[in-house]
Amino acid sequence: MKKLNIDVIRLVMAFMIVAIHTYPFECISNSLDFIITRVLFRVAVPFFLMITGYFVLAKDNKEKIIKYTSKIIKIYLLSIILYLPINIYNGYFSNFHIVYFFKDIFFTGTLYHLWYFPALILGLWISYFLIHKLTLKKALAIALTFYVIGIFGDSYYGLVNNVPIINSFYKLVFLVFDYTRNGIFYVPIFLLMGYAIKKNKSKVLANKYCYVFVLTLLIEGIITLKFNLYHHSSMYFSLIPLMYLFFSYLMNNYSSNAHLRSLGTFVYILHPFFIVVMHFIKGIIPISLLDNSLINYILVSILTLIASVVLDIIIKKINVYNTSKV
């Protein structure tokens, strides 16, 4: 049985996230783009979270989680600094309010993709608390309950937004978070599934069942689009069984490549910068081909990959230099 390279898959997932932010298939059909990028490609972030659950949370070592949290905080702060010029250009500070600033720092992120880092930190510590205070089954049940609550503030919001009591609850949630895709409602279930797969050494080899849940995920996406149910479009019921089956299969049959390991993270962090670069290029060079959403996605992806490879090489050389000095 041929092994799947987890680091190659991680990189592919990162480019799925680039697609989510660039709408590559809009040049063909808005509906097609929605189904591909905002439904099928929603497997990407859960995959990254399950990786963390499997390799970090499952170590059951508080000191290692503290160390990992410190690493994520550093990456997050560097990302905030990197995108500070873009925030200034976009007028982020023109109507500055300290409350909203702290909300962005601790929950939402100062740019649209940076929500992941505070959500990961919050979700990681919630998950750690759950598994050390409760049994794994109870921890999973609580995380799943919060995920279901989150779904009705996300892809299925249209089913509850006319119910006064329920709508009041979600309005309160949206005062703190912009979406229910956050460290409370979204992140813990995927971290804990990664943890559970590691601890239970699941032998889910019947990957054919993944296709069943890919189909149900498509059906969910079509329904939420057709009836305009979504407040956001990150959370679907089918993601839970689909990601469990896929990740279980992968972790029973995977290889890795240390040279590729950091590239997925760099692609995730850097791609909005090149979205802005392409926006400026299109403003300077009046070539109609650049207005094609698929061409735009390809160019953003190529530029991001080149920058990520260069950054990876520089960081590795710095690490080698620092090690040689010791």
Side-chain angles (χ1 to χ4, degrees):
M1 188 179 295
K2 187 177 180 180
K3 291 184 178 294
L4 300 171
N5 190 300
I6 194 170
D7 295 305
V8 171
I9 294 173
R10 194 198 308 248
L11 188 57
V12 170
M13 294 288 183
F15 283 110
M16 286 184 181
I17 294 171
V18 178
I20 290 169
H21 295 148
T22 52
Y23 314 104
F25 304 104
E26 274 194 341
C27 58
I28 302 170
S29 163
N30 288 337
S31 296
L32 178 67
D33 186 80
F34 182 94
I35 294 301
I36 294 176
T37 65
R38 295 169 68 182
V39 180
L40 290 179
F41 286 4
R42 290 303 190 186
V43 299
V45 172
F47 178 80
F48 282 111
L49 293 171
M50 291 179 78
I51 288 282
T52 302
Y54 190 93
F55 288 107
V56 178
L57 186 62
K59 289 181 179 179
D60 281 327
N61 186 316
K62 189 175 183 179
E63 295 303 317
K64 289 188 180 297
I65 292 178
I66 291 172
K67 185 177 179 181
Y68 180 79
T69 301
S70 176
K71 174 186 173 182
I72 296 302
I73 289 172
K74 289 175 183 175
I75 292 172
Y76 182 39
L77 291 176
L78 287 172
S79 299
I80 290 172
I81 294 169
L82 173 65
Y83 287 104
L84 193 58
I86 292 176
N87 281 331
I88 293 171
Y89 176 79
N90 288 335
Y92 180 86
F93 297 101
S94 59
N95 294 308
F96 181 80
H97 194 292
I98 191 66
V99 172
Y100 293 117
F101 177 71
F102 278 106
K103 173 188 170 183
D104 287 345
I105 291 291
F106 291 106
F107 299 117
T108 308
T110 56
L111 202 67
Y112 54 85
H113 72 310
L114 297 183
W115 70 271
Y116 179 81
F117 297 113
L120 174 59
I121 293 167
L122 178 58
L124 183 62
W125 283 100
I126 288 173
S127 301
Y128 179 82
F129 175 82
L130 288 174
I131 58 179
H132 285 86
K133 296 295 181 180
L134 304 168
T135 64
L136 179 56
K137 285 185 178 180
K138 288 181 179 179
L140 284 166
I142 290 171
L144 182 59
T145 299
F146 274 91
Y147 182 81
V148 171
I149 293 170
I151 279 179
F152 288 102
D154 193 272
S155 293
Y156 289 91
Y157 183 62
L159 294 178
V160 300
N161 70 332
N162 291 321
V163 182
I165 295 176
I166 298 176
N167 190 38
S168 296
F169 166 76
Y170 285 109
K171 282 184 177 179
L172 185 62
V173 170
F174 296 144
L175 284 176
V176 181
F177 304 95
D178 286 350
Y179 308 105
T180 52
R181 176 212 60 187
N182 57 52
I184 296 175
F185 298 102
Y186 178 76
V187 172
I189 186 60
F190 295 111
L191 289 172
L192 288 171
M193 286 202 300
Y195 176 96
I197 289 167
K198 175 71 171 181
K199 291 298 182 181
N200 296 333
K201 295 181 171 57
S202 301
K203 298 294 181 182
V204 181
L205 298 178
N207 61 327
K208 62 182 179 180
Y209 294 112
C210 287
Y211 304 128
V212 173
F213 291 107
V214 168
L215 179 60
T216 59
L217 180 60
L218 278 170
I219 293 169
E220 281 192 77
I222 291 168
I223 290 170
T224 59
L225 176 63
K226 180 176 176 58
F227 295 100
N228 196 30
L229 299 178
Y230 57 92
H231 171 70
H232 197 247
S233 55
S234 294
M235 304 172 73
Y236 298 94
F237 290 105
S238 300
L239 277 177
I240 301 298
L242 173 59
M243 293 310 300
Y244 183 82
L245 289 169
F246 171 70
F247 198 80
S248 296
Y249 176 76
L250 174 63
M251 301 317 293
N252 278 286
N253 189 45
Y254 79 94
S255 63
S256 61
N257 186 326
H259 297 294
L260 296 176
R261 194 157 298 157
S262 300
L263 289 184
T265 301
F266 294 152
V267 167
Y268 182 86
I269 293 171
L270 295 176
H271 76 272
F273 177 80
F274 291 101
I275 291 174
V276 174
V277 167
M278 284 305 302
H279 176 75
F280 276 108
I281 290 174
K282 285 187 285 186
I284 296 170
I285 306 174
I287 300 176
S288 59
L289 189 64
L290 295 178
D291 292 323
N292 182 285
S293 60
L294 186 56
I295 298 297
N296 180 66
Y297 167 69
I298 292 170
L299 292 174
V300 168
S301 297
I302 291 171
L303 291 172
T304 303
L305 181 60
I306 292 170
S308 298
V309 170
V310 170
L311 180 60
D312 189 49
I313 291 170
I314 291 171
I315 289 175
K316 284 175 180 174
K317 285 189 175 182
I318 290 172
N319 288 338
V320 169
Y321 175 74
N322 289 337
T323 302
S324 66
K325 287 176 65 178
V326 177

